[in-house]
Amino acid sequence: MIQYVYGYPVYIFSIEDKSKAINEVQKCIDGIKAVNPSDDWNAECLKVSTPPTWIGLRRTTNDEKIEFRYILKEIYKHSKIFSNELNMDINLTVNICADSSCTDNCNDSWINIYEKGHYQGPHWHAIGDEDEEPEYKGHIQNLFSFTYFMKYDEEKDAKFKFTDRSSGTSPFEEEWEKDEPCFTRSFIPDVKQGDVIIFPFFMVHEVSKQECDGPRITFSGNLYKET
């Protein structure tokens, strides 16, 4: 389902086989040591990916590769529906090389684990040749980003929210936000456990502070136009 947030298209769908998706994520968590990325940017959480670049979650554990075949199949299926509804005749891939058949370790995805007190500050996923990280040099800009809510209590867990960074034009803006919800600077999409949200890479988003015991677990990444 497409909805428009601050004028930009956002697509939300629910994973069909939730237990299969959960098992893929949990297998990765069990097989790779989580680290805290707070030294790199404004965040306090645990991240599971391949150090030092965070790129690629395919690691060998007991001689078995950690892969996300089912989750990515679901994401690719729905990203095609999304792009078609936007009249974009393209295919998307999570590989930064823009080749879905690539077997190198270029899977641009990661897992975030939030315990009590954890959060992520406002950020966007502008990845491409101008990025400071060397692993992105020479690669194309991603078009979309995604987040799969693998373990998420919509009543208690920290909220994923978009932030409107457009310039305000009224000195009464804060008053408008208070009295008229349509003028709010933050938008919390209606998602539940098992949902995936796909959104343009440049949309500023954040995760509020986790006020209860976790873990709150998400699997996120970037999508590139396939060549």
Side-chain angles (χ1 to χ4, degrees):
M1 177 185 71
I2 293 181
Q3 58 180 294
Y4 285 83
V5 179
Y6 306 125
Y8 302 116
V10 172
Y11 184 89
I12 300 175
F13 72 92
S14 184
I15 290 283
E16 185 172 347
D17 190 333
K18 295 177 176 57
S19 62
K20 185 180 292 187
I22 287 172
N23 288 339
E24 286 186 339
V25 175
Q26 190 62 53
K27 181 179 178 181
C28 181
I29 293 172
D30 293 340
I32 301 177
K33 182 180 178 181
V35 298
N36 193 322
S38 58
D39 290 339
D40 295 329
W41 63 296
N42 181 24
E44 184 70 33
C45 64
L46 295 177
K47 184 181 288 288
V48 177
S49 188
T50 303
T53 64
W54 311 125
I55 292 181
L57 293 168
R58 292 184 295 180
R59 225 2 141 68
T60 299
T61 301
N62 298 326
D63 296 326
E64 187 176 2
K65 278 188 175 181
I66 295 173
E67 296 182 304
F68 296 87
R69 291 184 180 180
Y70 177 70
I71 296 175
L72 292 180
K73 180 182 177 181
E74 285 282 283
I75 289 173
Y76 292 159
K77 178 178 70 176
H78 284 275
S79 67
K80 185 62 177 178
I81 296 172
F82 182 28
S83 61
N84 284 343
E85 290 188 10
L86 296 175
N87 294 317
M88 300 170 62
D89 186 18
I90 60 172
N91 294 314
L92 296 168
T93 176
V94 77
N95 293 333
I96 63 171
C97 66
D99 179 2
S100 62
S101 64
C102 176
T103 57
D104 292 336
N105 194 17
C106 64
N107 182 321
D108 193 5
S109 55
W110 58 91
I111 295 169
N112 285 337
I113 304 171
Y114 299 83
E115 302 289 356
K116 190 172 183 178
H118 286 173
Y119 67 91
Q120 286 211 32
H123 64 286
W124 63 0
H125 294 190
I127 306 301
D129 191 53
E130 300 301 320
D131 194 86
E132 295 179 358
E133 300 298 329
E135 65 270 13
Y136 292 111
K137 292 295 183 181
H139 293 290
I140 64 172
Q141 172 68 55
N142 56 313
L143 292 182
F144 297 97
S145 300
F146 69 85
T147 293
Y148 160 52
F149 294 82
M150 176 268 203
K151 189 175 186 302
Y152 175 67
D153 186 327
E154 57 189 298
E155 298 296 328
K156 299 187 298 183
D157 283 337
K159 302 300 183 184
F160 176 104
K161 60 177 72 174
F162 291 111
T163 303
D164 182 9
R165 289 302 179 96
S166 62
S167 59
T169 58
S170 170
F172 306 109
E173 187 173 306
E174 291 186 6
E175 182 179 341
W176 286 12
E177 286 190 44
K178 179 180 177 181
D179 297 333
E180 300 294 341
C182 64
F183 287 106
T184 184
R185 285 292 197 174
S186 294
F187 178 83
I188 300 174
D190 183 14
V191 293
K192 58 185 180 298
Q193 181 167 299
D195 284 354
V196 177
I197 184 169
I198 304 175
F199 53 94
F201 76 89
F202 53 78
M203 292 187 72
V204 177
H205 57 286
E206 61 185 287
V207 176
S208 60
K209 187 176 181 180
Q210 177 78 1
E211 300 291 353
C212 64
D213 293 334
R216 173 194 187 276
I217 302 174
T218 55
F219 171 61
S220 302
N222 294 311
L223 294 168
Y224 301 79
K225 181 181 178 180
E226 189 175 27
T227 56

